[in-house]
Amino acid sequence: MASNPFGLSGLNEEQVLRSRRDHGSNRTTWHVRNPVWESIRGIVTEPMFLLLLSAAAIYFILRETPEAIFMTVAILIVSAISFFQDHRSRVAMQALQQLTAPRAKVIRNGEVREIDAEDIVIGDLIVAEEGHLVPADGRIIQSADFSLNESMLTGESFSVFRTAGDESPFAWQGTQVVSGQAVLEAVAIGNDTKLGRISGSLLRIEDEKTPLQVQIDRFVKRMAALGMIVFALVWLINYLQSAGDPQRLANSLLKGLTLAMSILPEEIPVAFSTFMALGAFRLMKIGIIAKNTRTVETLGAATVICVDKTGTITENRMSLDRVLIGGDEEITGRDAFGKKGGFQELIRTAMFASESLPFDPMEKEIHEVYAGHTPKDERLSFRMIHEYPLEGKPPMMTHVFSSDDGERIIAAKGAPEALLSCCELSDTYRSTVLNMADALAQEGFRIIAVGKGKEALLQTTGNAYPKNQREIPMDFLGLLAFFDPPKKGIRDVFQAFTAAGIHLKVITGDSPQTTRAIARQAGFPGDGAGVNGDRLLEMDDHTLEEHVSTHGLFTRMFPEAKLRIIEALKSRGEIVAMTGDGVNDAPALKAAHIGIAMGQRGSELAKSTASLIITDDDLGRMVDAVAMGRRIYSNLKKAIQYIISIHIPIILTVFLPLVLGWAYPNIFSPVHVIFLELIMGPTCSIIYENEPLERLSMQMPPRKMTDSFLSWRELSVSLWQGLAITAGTLVTYQIAVKQGFDEAQTRTLVFLCLVTSNIFLTLVNRSFLLSMIETLRYRNKLMRGILALTIAMMVMLISIPAFSDFFGFGWSGWLMAGISMTIGMAGVVWFEGYKWMKRRQANASLR
């Protein structure tokens, strides 16, 4: 709870409960689709579900009841797996949405409280402050220089001032508070707000798919089209070859369905959605809230991270450490503040020049120092009657206060250059002050100058004030020097980004001297040469692009300059991440590929604009986030390459014996294919999703977003792996036939060879560079569990008569089983030689 300077009581607890009972809460509750029904609808319309259903129906028609029951059970299992994966992804995203729920300040029982915005009720008194979003439609009760950006509703980007005396004294939900503050009485909440009514129509708008989703969808659709063509071909061949079969139509359809099921890679879209949703959930567990899965996809590709100085590189403590009293020519340390004449007036004026409810750490420190040194706290005795918000290049701000007995104060603070330009000082003393400010800045201090409006202005202006605060003649009162030390460990963070091939840029509104000093102390990996905001705006686009690529420090920045830097970096093909916490950071956060807001000190506007929120404001979390992004992307590629590699031998082992007229043309039926699908689904979506980050991943440069998800080289590797496994199954087939084994024995050996290849493919593809022996040391309990379950199931199918009869298996002895498994292993393990050559080439290039 915070102090209440507004003199308003607000609702009490009983009134809140009554209002909530009568009018509901501030929650948008338009009818949305039932997620469970949507999940079920998606499952029953999947091509694999329809194929399984068709196969089960045909088995029933053929009166092959055991096979029909098995296919029905398989439908339930596959559907349950899909439903579980969808539910797990949905739960993860719901947890993220709860964490990103907006907060709001209200006055209740005479106290200012922070609550969830959803808990606002009709009649609540809402405190709307600079940097926040208005949480409900409200009537303005009182305001101080209160301006809003209503572009969300009107499309107009300029700010509008609102007061209680306006013809329409309202602030609407979702609008942004640009300056000042106001107290609003909530008059509409939830669905009844202007924004709520618009939200109902937004539910019909579908999200645009990411480039990666488009690539994956295109690949799956092409495979589905190929499956339809091959299905028709196989059905026709079987139909023509079985002229004497009374049920040749059903039997030939069944064989065509077998091949169609083997071609369709339905695991790929499931794997993608699972990896992205669970990736966002894993980020949440390390203190980073990803507001959408697009960000998870982009994280590993970040090439530039633009960071603020205050609170990101530094601790954001803002301790007032030194002062210069106006007229003096020496700096006073903290231990002598109370003993120095003029300090009381200096800190009192600085306090009135700050926000009444301070949000900025520097202003909080000013309030605390004032409270600790003033004999009488005057904050509740004055009310603000006019405000000039922080603006200008360099910036300053001015507040006008009035007491009940008519005393007025014009208090100003800002950059020394800005405030001194409003003061009548000798050139010599002005130069002295600026030199002392420069000296302090070079030690890493953040400097602000403090001044007050001249007495003559207070007596003559009445309530008419200049349009521009720089037109107000000021008396210079002194300088305040705040020290905000670099965070512990920030040097290691910078080194980690550099090692990962990510360039760092510091973009701050602070002075060049202070920024260089802090950057030097923090171990910033740059040359220290900075670019000033005014100079940056004068550059043409080509010159700016050159500067953003060669410079690391950007000082005295304002919103337009920050935005130009982000756009210039993007135009150079960089994937840009940007950290920010204030209102003026919002445009750049929105423009960046990855906008990062600080959870503790970030404004509501910054957090609503950003795509990532760091809950504890620790930039080191971004190292973990980039690593997580690279891990997710790498593991997804492994999963999809595994799917491609294992589907090829299934397709060819079903197809080639048929078209080549081999002894046993229908070596696999739908029950065999669905068993393999039940193995492959958990392998790609569960095992690979849990794989750890590879050892060298954070020493590699970022991937290029323009690259295809799977390059032709990567795709060719999967093709060669699949063809090698196919060669193994077909060699096993021919050996069995030449040994005189019947169809059941041959089927068993081929199936055993294929399952063995699947097990070793899972192990080999855990890394496309490191050896299988090294990756066996990875911690992945699910890997061991699923592989052990696969082996156990295979043993049961062969050794238990009921299962072997059902699957049409026949035992041919341990020798042939050993030969079959050896061939299956050899069809995969050869790839270790390929990886060994890649490691030699990598080591040679490093040398």
Side-chain angles (χ1 to χ4, degrees):
M1 296 182 188
S3 61
N4 179 4
F6 304 105
L8 300 169
S9 297
L11 302 179
N12 58 36
E13 297 303 326
E14 183 181 347
Q15 291 170 325
V16 169
L17 292 174
R18 188 185 310 122
S19 180
R20 183 171 292 125
R21 184 178 62 248
D22 294 341
H23 305 287
S25 296
N26 189 31
R27 187 181 298 117
T28 302
T29 55
W30 294 107
H31 173 71
V32 294
R33 296 167 180 166
N34 186 307
V36 175
W37 168 246
E38 283 297 302
S39 180
I40 294 173
R41 188 171 68 89
I43 290 170
V44 300
T45 54
E46 285 180 357
M48 180 56 73
F49 180 91
L50 299 176
L51 290 175
L52 290 171
L53 193 64
S54 301
I58 293 172
Y59 275 127
F60 276 116
I61 291 171
L62 295 174
R63 301 184 183 278
E64 297 180 12
T65 305
E67 287 82 356
I69 293 173
F70 176 82
M71 294 304 296
T72 303
V73 173
I75 290 171
L76 296 176
I77 294 174
V78 170
S79 301
I81 291 173
S82 297
F83 185 82
F84 170 73
Q85 296 284 32
D86 183 72
H87 173 73
R88 199 159 65 139
S89 301
R90 189 170 63 252
V91 168
M93 295 311 297
Q94 287 173 348
L96 294 175
Q97 289 170 359
Q98 290 176 358
L99 281 176
T100 56
R103 305 278 289 173
K105 287 183 180 179
V106 297
I107 302 172
R108 289 181 181 173
N109 291 319
E111 298 170 331
V112 177
R113 303 179 181 181
E114 185 170 325
I115 64 173
D116 287 338
E118 282 192 353
D119 292 335
I120 291 173
V121 298
I122 294 291
D124 255 329
L125 298 185
I126 304 165
V127 180
E129 299 175 304
E130 179 179 326
H132 287 217
L133 298 176
V134 177
D137 288 356
R139 180 187 295 107
I140 300 173
I141 303 299
Q142 57 178 246
S143 64
D145 206 55
F146 183 62
S147 68
L148 295 163
N149 183 322
E150 299 179 338
S151 58
M152 176 176 283
L153 297 174
T154 66
E156 300 289 347
S157 60
F158 55 80
S159 302
V160 292
F161 282 88
R162 292 271 186 257
T163 69
D166 290 345
E167 183 178 343
S168 178
F170 296 99
W172 310 113
Q173 183 187 46
T175 56
Q176 306 162 4
V177 183
V178 177
S179 67
Q181 64 183 195
V183 177
L184 316 172
E185 179 186 1
V187 296
I189 57 176
N191 295 350
D192 296 328
T193 64
K194 277 193 173 185
L195 186 62
R197 291 193 291 271
I198 294 173
S199 298
S201 61
L202 293 179
L203 294 174
R204 296 189 294 270
I205 301 175
E206 299 290 336
D207 289 335
E208 184 180 348
K209 292 185 176 181
T210 67
L212 181 53
Q213 285 176 298
V214 171
Q215 290 184 43
I216 288 175
D217 285 352
R218 187 185 302 127
F219 176 77
V220 172
K221 287 177 181 176
R222 287 174 178 173
M223 293 299 292
L226 176 62
M228 291 298 295
I229 294 171
V230 175
F231 162 77
L233 179 62
V234 170
W235 168 77
L236 181 61
I237 292 173
N238 272 279
Y239 186 80
L240 295 175
Q241 290 180 348
S242 55
D245 185 357
Q247 294 182 318
R248 63 174 181 164
L249 177 61
N251 281 321
S252 57
L253 282 173
L254 197 61
K255 293 176 176 60
L257 286 173
T258 302
L259 193 58
M261 288 165 57
S262 69
I263 291 176
L264 190 66
E266 90 289 345
E267 306 95 340
I268 293 179
V270 174
F272 175 81
S273 60
T274 301
F275 274 55
M276 294 299 138
L278 293 184
F281 187 72
R282 291 181 189 279
L283 286 172
M284 182 185 69
K285 291 172 71 175
I286 63 172
I288 296 176
I289 301 172
K291 293 164 65 177
N292 56 64
T293 56
R294 295 168 184 262
T295 308
V296 179
E297 182 183 324
T298 310
L299 266 174
T303 59
V304 175
I305 292 184
C306 301
V307 299
D308 188 16
K309 178 185 72 66
T310 304
T312 304
I313 298 176
T314 63
E315 294 182 0
N316 200 32
R317 281 199 279 118
M318 284 301 174
S319 172
L320 180 59
D321 200 71
R322 314 273 178 87
V323 298
L324 170 71
I325 308 297
D328 287 357
E329 295 190 8
E330 61 180 19
I331 302 298
T332 300
R334 188 182 183 95
D335 56 346
F337 284 173
K339 305 171 186 177
K340 190 72 176 176
F343 177 75
Q344 293 284 349
E345 185 180 20
L346 173 63
I347 197 65
R348 175 178 182 259
T349 306
M351 182 276 296
F352 279 117
S354 304
E355 296 296 339
S356 301
L357 292 176
F359 177 78
D360 181 78
M362 186 171 63
E363 293 191 341
K364 287 182 178 180
E365 172 73 355
I366 290 173
H367 273 263
E368 288 180 13
V369 174
Y370 167 78
H373 288 83
T374 184
K376 177 186 177 183
D377 193 335
E378 300 177 286
R379 285 178 285 190
L380 296 181
S381 303
F382 285 79
R383 62 184 179 86
M384 187 186 298
I385 59 175
H386 194 71
E387 178 180 20
Y388 295 96
L390 185 69
E391 54 82 26
K393 308 167 188 176
M396 64 179 287
M397 62 189 296
T398 304
H399 290 166
V400 183
F401 279 84
S402 177
S403 67
D404 293 336
D405 57 11
E407 180 186 354
R408 275 192 299 169
I409 300 170
I410 299 180
K413 65 179 174 66
E417 307 95 311
L419 195 129
L420 290 176
S421 67
C422 304
C423 302
E424 296 180 6
L425 300 173
S426 67
D427 291 342
T428 302
Y429 186 64
R430 186 190 305 274
S431 178
T432 299
V433 172
L434 290 174
N435 286 338
M436 284 192 283
D438 186 67
L440 287 168
Q442 290 185 18
E443 295 180 45
F445 289 95
R446 185 172 181 183
I447 315 300
I448 65 167
V450 179
K452 68 175 184 177
K454 285 185 173 293
E455 294 291 337
L457 178 69
L458 295 176
Q459 296 169 5
T460 60
T461 58
N463 290 323
Y465 298 97
K467 185 175 181 180
N468 191 319
Q469 60 184 315
R470 294 172 196 253
E471 299 173 14
I472 301 174
M474 298 280 181
D475 288 325
F476 174 67
L477 298 183
L479 300 178
L480 302 180
F482 300 84
F483 188 64
D484 186 15
K487 288 181 177 177
K488 293 179 181 178
I490 193 66
R491 187 183 296 268
D492 295 335
V493 173
F494 287 161
Q495 289 174 352
F497 282 134
T498 302
I502 300 172
H503 302 289
L504 282 155
K505 311 289 180 185
V506 176
I507 304 178
T508 178
D510 218 334
S511 68
Q513 299 90 338
T514 302
T515 304
R516 279 196 291 268
I518 294 296
R520 185 171 59 251
Q521 295 169 25
F524 181 76
D527 58 6
V531 178
N532 185 276
D534 286 330
R535 180 184 165 208
L536 184 143
L537 282 188
E538 295 173 355
M539 298 178 185
D540 58 45
D541 291 343
H542 178 71
T543 305
L544 178 59
E545 288 181 22
E546 290 182 350
H547 275 72
V548 296
S549 66
T550 57
H551 291 75
L553 301 182
F554 298 86
T555 60
R556 291 290 189 220
M557 289 290 136
F558 32 89
E560 299 92 333
K562 292 180 180 181
L563 183 59
R564 280 204 72 194
I565 292 171
I566 300 301
E567 296 293 354
L569 288 167
K570 288 169 65 177
S571 67
R572 289 182 58 83
E574 306 284 1
I575 303 300
V576 184
M578 164 81 184
T579 69
D581 57 7
V583 177
N584 61 355
D585 295 320
L589 287 174
K590 189 173 183 66
H593 295 101
I594 307 169
I596 307 161
M598 299 299 158
Q600 294 181 357
R601 64 187 174 86
S603 67
E604 287 299 323
L605 180 56
K607 286 188 277 190
S608 67
T609 305
S611 49
L612 281 183
I613 300 174
I614 302 178
T615 56
D616 62 358
D617 294 4
D618 182 4
L619 184 64
R621 301 287 183 199
M622 276 306 297
V623 178
D624 299 330
V626 170
M628 184 72 72
R630 294 187 179 188
R631 169 191 166 184
I632 292 167
Y633 191 83
S634 172
N635 287 346
L636 181 60
K637 290 183 75 168
K638 293 174 189 176
I640 292 180
Q641 287 187 264
Y642 158 82
I643 292 169
I644 294 171
S645 297
I646 200 62
H647 267 269
I648 290 171
I650 298 174
I651 296 168
L652 295 180
T653 304
V654 171
F655 185 65
L656 290 178
L658 174 65
V659 297
L660 296 178
W662 286 7
Y664 310 121
N666 302 308
I667 197 69
F668 288 158
S669 68
V671 295
H672 302 104
V673 174
I674 194 58
F675 178 82
L676 293 170
E677 292 287 344
L678 292 176
I679 294 174
M680 293 185 297
T683 299
C684 69
S685 291
I686 298 177
I687 290 182
Y688 283 116
E689 196 280 327
N690 279 276
E691 282 290 271
L693 182 71
E694 288 198 40
R695 178 165 48 85
L696 301 176
S697 295
M698 286 300 284
Q699 280 74 52
M700 300 289 185
R703 63 181 171 85
K704 295 181 179 179
M705 284 289 285
T706 53
D707 291 348
S708 297
F709 179 64
L710 289 178
S711 66
W712 171 246
R713 183 174 181 178
E714 291 167 329
L715 192 59
S716 64
V717 165
S718 297
L719 291 172
W720 280 113
Q721 284 183 311
L723 291 173
I725 296 171
T726 303
T729 59
L730 296 181
V731 166
T732 302
Y733 184 112
Q734 290 296 334
I735 291 175
V737 171
K738 289 183 180 180
Q739 291 292 321
F741 294 137
D742 61 24
E743 184 175 11
Q745 292 171 316
T746 302
R747 178 181 295 116
T748 305
L749 293 175
V750 173
F751 197 79
L752 187 59
C753 175
L754 187 55
V755 172
T756 304
S757 292
N758 177 76
I759 291 171
F760 278 93
L761 182 69
T762 304
L763 296 171
V764 167
N765 279 18
R766 296 177 78 184
S767 174
F768 287 89
L769 181 64
L770 305 178
S771 71
M772 182 176 67
I773 303 299
E774 186 169 352
T775 57
L776 284 174
R777 295 195 289 268
Y778 285 177
R779 294 182 59 130
N780 189 343
K781 294 180 181 179
L782 289 174
M783 169 75 73
R784 302 190 193 100
I786 290 179
L787 292 184
L789 181 62
T790 300
I791 294 171
M793 291 174 65
M794 193 63 210
V795 171
M796 289 171 57
L797 295 184
I798 294 175
S799 61
I800 298 176
F803 290 150
S804 60
D805 291 344
F806 177 78
F807 279 88
F809 288 156
W811 184 244
S812 55
W814 283 107
L815 177 61
M816 286 306 301
I819 292 173
S820 172
M821 289 188 289
T822 301
I823 294 173
M825 181 181 69
V828 177
V829 173
W830 66 270
F831 193 66
E832 289 295 305
Y834 171 82
K835 292 197 287 186
W836 177 76
M837 289 190 294
K838 282 188 68 177
R839 289 196 298 275
R840 284 194 62 185
Q841 293 173 357
N843 292 332
S845 64
L846 288 175
R847 287 195 297 268

